[in-house]
Amino acid sequence: MAIFFMRTKNFLSSRLKSLTSFQRCNHTLGERGLQAEFYSEMAPAPNHALHPIDTSKWKKIQASKVGITNSMISFPSWVVLNTLHKEGFEAYLVGGCVRDLLLKRIPKDFDVITTANLRQIKKKFHRAEIIGRRFPICMVHIKGSVIEVSSFETVAKHDEDKERALSSLFPKGCDEKDVIRWKNSRNRDFTINSLFFDPFTRNIYDYNNGMLDLKSLKLRTLIPAHLSFQEDCARILRGLRIAARLGLSFSKDTESAMHDLSASIEGLDKFRLMLELNYMLSYGAAESSICLLQRFNLLDIVLPFQAAYINQQRSAKNSMMLMVSLDS
């Protein structure tokens, strides 16, 4: 019986490694050119009833106090940041790279956001192209690396009516730079992805208690979870991927919404589904990702053959255990 279980485990491991290798290959070929079109953590902020903005959550933290130094920034990213800064633009690291730096992890890439518009960004670099339709970004090529650079202006223009309505809701004396950063942060998927790092003032800006959730290793949607996943069901897969890679738990609201809306993944464009899976099964988190997919009843939808195999092995194991129990 021990030999049977060992063979089962080895065969499943082999199948998962094969799948992961295939996915990572696809990921490497397509990650940059396709990411801006189909894979974005940005979405228009929901049009809730407007209330005065509560700035009590807004925090500015010295990077040195949380162990972040400029030496942690990759050279190509620093070239982009410094070039924009010298031209008089604000330039920040944003999103997952700030999250990973705070967790003492090496970011897989560094995303930059700036007050320059996309055409201004493109003009500053020899090799740069603007891609994407809904939320276009500028892909800047520096010494063999590609840095994704987005503009604050892109999201602001996407929702101009709401931008005007929000302007009257901020407390008097509110810093304009804080307002710009806060507005952008509200369009992101999870609180831990809504952090900004200014390498020139060496400050981290947190407008949504992202640092607190990161300290608790908690994944929480930035807006109510059911609404967030109804707006973009791919966020469910993205949330599972982040949780699997970083070992995070889910907020009660987020976990409940994932269970309730998991079936909506079936309506996701197949190409985007493959792209999400490419990310999910890369960077050494394939096994934990598959466990989470199974936990939220998604494995049958996204990887039906692997799900059938796992269920088959589980049935065989249960049958063996039953026979052992009867024999004793």
Side-chain angles (χ1 to χ4, degrees), residues 106-136:
I106 298 174
K108 63 181 178 65
D109 47 41
F110 290 82
D111 293 339
V112 174
I113 190 166
T114 177
T115 50
N117 63 43
L118 294 178
R119 288 186 179 180
Q120 289 171 324
I121 297 166
K122 186 178 179 182
K123 285 180 181 178
K124 301 302 173 189
F125 301 96
H126 295 298
R127 292 188 60 208
E129 69 268 6
I130 298 169
I131 65 171
R133 290 192 293 262
R134 191 180 182 199
F135 289 103

Side-chain angles (χ1 to χ4, degrees), residues 6 26 48 69 84 103 105 111 116 119 123 151 167 195 211 226-227 233 251 258 260 268 310 314 325:
M6 182 63 70
N26 282 343
H48 301 313
T69 64
L84 292 166
L103 290 174
R105 289 173 170 263
D111 293 339
R119 288 186 179 180
K123 285 180 181 178
S151 171
S167 298
L195 302 164
M211 294 278 285
H226 280 78
L227 178 59
C233 63
S251 70
M258 282 181 167
D260 293 345
L268 196 63
I310 290 171
R314 181 179 290 168
S325 176

Side-chain angles (χ1 to χ4, degrees), residues 18-243:
S18 175
L19 174 66
T20 303
S21 176
F22 171 73
Q23 296 289 359
R24 187 176 289 118
C25 176
N26 282 343
H27 168 79
T28 302
L29 290 172
E31 64 171 324
R32 290 297 178 180
L34 301 174
Q35 184 172 4
E37 293 287 344
F38 299 99
Y39 186 83
S40 175
E41 67 182 31
M42 300 292 290
N47 192 22
H48 301 313
L50 299 177
H51 302 286
I53 306 300
D54 177 14
T55 60
S56 63
K57 292 181 182 178
W58 295 9
K59 297 178 182 69
K60 180 172 70 175
I61 303 103
Q62 276 190 300
S64 59
K65 289 186 176 180
V66 289
I68 294 182
T69 64
N70 285 359
S71 63
M72 296 176 174
I73 303 172
S74 70
F75 176 74
S77 306
W78 184 250
V79 169
V80 172
L81 289 161
N82 205 38
T83 300
L84 292 166
H85 182 71
K86 284 182 177 179
E87 294 295 325
F89 299 111
E90 298 283 321
Y92 306 86
L93 292 177
V94 65
C97 63
V98 184
R99 174 201 70 210
D100 288 351
L101 289 174
L102 286 164
L103 290 174
K104 311 302 182 210
R105 289 173 170 263
I106 298 174
K108 63 181 178 65
D109 47 41
F110 290 82
D111 293 339
V112 174
I113 190 166
T114 177
T115 50
N117 63 43
L118 294 178
R119 288 186 179 180
Q120 289 171 324
I121 297 166
K122 186 178 179 182
K123 285 180 181 178
K124 301 302 173 189
F125 301 96
H126 295 298
R127 292 188 60 208
E129 69 268 6
I130 298 169
I131 65 171
R133 290 192 293 262
R134 191 180 182 199
F135 289 103
I137 59 175
C138 192
M139 309 293 274
V140 179
H141 299 258
I142 303 286
K143 292 190 177 294
S145 295
V146 182
I147 308 301
E148 294 184 11
V149 187
S150 58
S151 171
F152 284 107
E153 181 184 87
T154 302
V155 176
K157 279 189 172 181
H158 200 276
D159 209 358
E160 288 181 342
D161 291 339
K162 188 170 183 185
E163 287 285 311
R164 283 191 290 270
L166 283 172
S167 298
S168 63
L169 300 174
F170 289 96
K172 289 183 179 180
C174 214
D175 188 289
E176 185 179 348
K177 292 179 182 179
D178 273 319
V179 171
I180 291 171
R181 289 186 294 259
W182 176 85
K183 287 179 179 178
N184 184 273
S185 78
R186 296 301 298 174
N187 290 281
R188 298 186 177 270
D189 50 7
F190 301 102
T191 59
I192 61 172
N193 286 341
S194 67
L195 302 164
F196 299 85
F197 172 40
D198 184 339
F200 304 101
T201 64
R202 295 180 176 83
N203 287 320
I204 294 170
Y205 297 94
D206 178 10
Y207 300 97
N208 306 288
N209 281 336
M211 294 278 285
L212 185 63
D213 284 336
L214 207 52
K215 187 177 180 180
S216 304
L217 294 178
K218 187 82 69 179
L219 191 73
R220 188 188 312 275
T221 55
L222 204 137
I223 61 175
H226 280 78
L227 178 59
S228 180
F229 298 146
Q230 284 167 355
E231 285 183 350
D232 184 2
C233 63
R235 287 176 176 170
I236 296 174
L237 294 178
R238 196 175 313 141
L240 295 180
R241 172 176 59 83
I242 293 170

